[in-house]
Amino acid sequence: MESDTRVLIAGGGVVGLSTALFLAHQGIPSLVVERSPGTSSHPGFRGLNPRTMEAFRSVGVEADIWAVAGEQQRAGFVARGRNLADPEISWLELPWDGGTDALSPCDFCTCDQDRLEPVLVEQARRRGATIRFGTELTIVEQDEDGVSATLRDRAAGTKHRVRADYLVAADGARGRTRDQLGIGQTGPGVLEHRVNVMFTTDVPPVLQGRKLTSVLASDINGSLVPRTESPWLMSVPYRPEDGESLADFTPERCLDLIRRGVGRADVAASIEAVLPWRPAALVADAFRGGRVFLAGDSAHVMPPAGAFGGNSGIHDAFNLAWKLAAVIDGTAGPALLDTYETERKPVIERTIAEALRRMRAWFATPGGDTEPPEPLDDNTVIYGYRYPVLGQPDLYEDPRHPTVRPGSRAPHVWLRDGMRRLSTLDLFGRGHVLLCGPGTADWHKAAARSGIPSHLVGPAGLSDEDGGWAERYGDVAVLVRPDGFVVWRSDTPADISAADPTGTLASVVAGIRAGVPAAGSASR
């Protein structure tokens, strides 16, 4: 099929740009159209969790993000009190306390959206993506062979048509694409109305000798998010149902709220922006409509508790990009794309339920439950979600005790290749990879015969630096897909001469390419 681009991406925010970057890493060109004239001018989304940083690490941009980022997210603390001057301030336990260093080679990263997006633009373009700002998608049509879209240059007013194999709608909660597809949403909906006030101040982002991530201030019934080099954020509720409007938040009122939140009448502050915000919890009824896929806020919105929203959108892109690439380059059939929704939607529904639980609000979950789910720690939500496979109904596992079963994230272990130290996660990113324990050399040889990249951990291969491989993987062979999730494992011991490892691997890979979920492990 003739096309102007392989993948058209509607929306050039964090999720759309991440999609373009992940596609480009797989060698697939894309066209991103964003109605705004450039990247975000506001800090916006800022907290990148370690799983998100693992995704960026796999495409070689982790260091670029750290170069423009602020401090490690774990360097800050969350305070609760009447205001910053409250002598009885309390400190909330950080969700990542308890040994994340053993779980990932990556750390929590504070990178404001206005710093992150230019990095994604530069890196995606460098790899072959085309990004057009000031351009909006107005009409989407599709047929059996592809998608036709009408684009409008907002400055010139001109329109033109573009043809693509697939469209990724990352145009946000208020984007038009989902509505054009006729896809509805389910969930509690809008939870409240809030105003976000961006302001600069000379108040130091430190309290009682601790660096602050945020402050929950009861005197303003809102929160303050300090920043060192960017404007602070104050988020407070307002009630349009009682006639209150955005216009009521004058500079004078905003300054008064800031001073009450800080607890000092002499605080100087300059108001930079006053923006409405509606925290909500909604999930699209479908994540796919033909050749169009929803990602990020177009597919789901969730309250900010836990900082799961933006990260989940990036994980959508990470899940989808390698699948689109495999179908476009002919190494997989179209049915593989059906797994995007069957994998991501259950994870998103449970993640939203976790965010709602953190708000201590008793909303009905998108899955229809009337009570909040059992509480999970943030590390389990971040690292421990599992994609569904046959005969495996449970969604989460404890990442501190990984199962290395199909559907789960392949755990991080430090290895050595001569003088080079690397994580198991550094072995993933393009194509499927077989990891083999020291007693599974026959699987390693079978992979070579099958043309599957393979790494042997043991005397003849990579060395287990600190015993992590023996503890977390053991003497197994594990097939891992490009986004770092296990799709198959063998518990077969060293002598597998009768097991036909080459035929087994060929069958497993054929099933993956056909979009068949992994059924479990191979054993004698």
Side-chain angles (χ1 to χ4, degrees):
M1 181 194 73
E2 294 281 334
S3 64
D4 296 308
T5 184
R6 287 298 194 178
V7 181
L8 175 64
I9 301 170
V14 169
V15 175
L17 294 173
S18 295
T19 305
L21 174 61
F22 297 147
L23 283 169
H25 182 72
Q26 301 291 339
I28 301 300
S30 65
L31 168 63
V32 180
V33 293
E34 166 56 43
R35 69 191 312 272
S36 300
T39 55
S40 176
S41 59
H42 296 291
F45 165 69
R46 70 185 320 227
L48 301 173
N49 69 39
R51 181 63 188 140
T52 299
M53 293 302 286
E54 289 176 1
F56 288 134
R57 179 187 182 100
S58 75
V59 297
V61 301
E62 180 192 19
D64 299 273
I65 293 172
W66 274 112
V68 301
E71 314 80 26
Q72 293 176 341
Q73 182 72 13
R74 70 166 63 196
F77 292 84
V78 178
R80 182 191 297 274
R82 291 178 50 235
N83 52 54
L84 282 177
D86 188 348
E88 299 182 358
I89 203 86
S90 62
W91 298 94
L92 302 184
E93 181 180 354
L94 296 180
W96 47 86
D97 279 351
T100 52
D101 291 345
L103 300 179
S104 177
C106 301
D107 205 345
F108 285 83
C109 177
T110 300
C111 188
D112 294 333
Q113 189 169 341
D114 54 348
R115 295 185 179 192
L116 175 61
E117 287 185 1
V119 173
L120 300 180
V121 168
E122 178 186 358
Q123 294 297 331
R125 281 175 170 165
R126 181 179 296 176
R127 291 163 169 79
T130 301
I131 302 169
R132 297 179 186 167
F133 291 102
T135 304
E136 62 182 344
L137 186 153
T138 59
I139 300 174
V140 177
E141 299 169 331
Q142 58 178 312
D143 52 45
E144 292 182 357
D145 298 320
V147 176
S148 297
T150 300
L151 307 181
R152 175 178 174 269
D153 185 305
R154 301 190 72 205
T158 56
K159 296 181 180 181
H160 70 280
R161 301 272 284 179
V162 64
R163 184 75 173 169
D165 294 350
Y166 297 97
L167 168 66
V168 177
D171 48 354
R174 299 184 181 182
R176 301 175 180 175
T177 311
R178 185 186 62 248
D179 291 339
Q180 289 193 42
L181 293 173
I183 297 175
Q185 297 174 291
T186 302
V190 175
L191 305 176
E192 60 180 332
H193 295 265
R194 300 187 73 84
V195 169
N196 285 348
V197 180
M198 311 300 300
F199 65 97
T200 56
T201 181
D202 59 357
V203 177
V206 177
L207 182 61
Q208 297 179 356
R210 298 183 177 187
K211 189 165 186 62
L212 289 169
T213 292
S214 63
V215 182
L216 308 178
S218 61
D219 278 358
I220 59 173
N221 191 25
S223 61
L224 294 168
V225 179
R227 292 183 169 99
T228 304
E229 301 176 8
S230 302
W232 283 42
L233 167 68
M234 176 179 66
S235 182
V236 292
Y238 79 107
R239 301 180 62 83
E241 66 273 18
D242 294 338
E244 195 172 28
S245 72
L246 197 64
D248 294 325
F249 287 83
T250 62
E252 293 76 18
R253 182 181 178 187
C254 291
L255 179 58
D256 176 65
L257 286 167
I258 292 167
R259 287 171 171 170
R260 286 164 55 193
V262 175
R264 282 174 40 201
D266 62 342
V267 167
S270 175
I271 310 301
E272 302 290 326
V274 179
L275 306 168
W277 177 42
R278 300 190 304 171
L282 289 165
V283 182
D285 296 333
F287 282 20
R288 179 184 185 183
R291 287 177 171 263
V292 182
F293 299 85
L294 307 182
D297 286 355
S298 180
H300 48 79
V301 290
M302 59 187 75
F308 301 136
N311 288 285
S312 293
I314 295 170
H315 300 167
D316 292 343
F318 200 42
N319 180 288
L320 179 60
W322 75 267
K323 296 174 180 178
L324 283 171
V327 173
I328 288 171
D329 68 20
T331 58
L336 178 64
L337 297 175
D338 293 335
T339 65
Y340 171 63
E341 177 176 321
T342 59
E343 290 182 348
R344 290 301 299 162
K345 195 166 186 286
V347 172
I348 290 299
E349 289 173 343
R350 184 60 187 271
T351 303
I352 289 177
E354 288 293 329
L356 289 172
R357 185 187 65 79
R358 281 156 176 73
M359 292 185 69
R360 300 181 181 181
W362 290 80
F363 297 102
T365 67
D369 298 332
T370 57
E371 295 183 358
E374 289 297 315
L376 295 174
D377 66 274
D378 279 20
N379 283 331
T380 298
V381 178
I382 291 169
Y383 299 106
Y385 65 85
R386 304 173 65 212
Y387 289 138
V389 299
L390 299 180
Q392 183 178 292
D394 52 313
L395 185 60
Y396 286 101
E397 66 179 34
D398 184 348
R400 300 167 189 82
H401 304 286
T403 63
V404 201
R405 289 188 292 172
S408 64
R409 165 184 170 268
H412 154 67
V413 168
W414 285 117
L415 304 171
R416 279 208 173 270
D417 182 8
M419 297 297 294
R420 184 167 67 106
R421 188 181 193 232
L422 70 160
S423 167
T424 45
L425 276 59
D426 296 329
L427 304 174
F428 316 140
R430 287 193 180 96
H432 289 71
V433 174
L434 188 71
L435 302 182
C436 299
T440 60
D442 281 350
W443 288 112
H444 183 56
K445 295 174 183 176
R449 291 192 293 269
S450 303
I452 300 172
S454 178
H455 299 275
L456 181 66
V457 179
L462 302 171
S463 59
D464 184 2
E465 181 174 272
D466 53 13
W469 176 274
E471 177 186 350
R472 299 194 166 198
Y473 286 85
D475 213 5
V476 299
V478 179
L479 188 65
V480 183
R481 65 193 205 182
D483 60 350
F485 282 82
V486 176
V487 290
W488 174 88
R489 65 174 278 169
S490 171
D491 294 324
T492 305
D495 181 9
I496 57 169
S497 58
D500 185 19
T502 303
T504 298
L505 286 178
S507 177
V508 169
V509 172
I512 293 168
R513 291 172 176 172
V516 178
S521 304
S523 60
R524 292 187 66 182

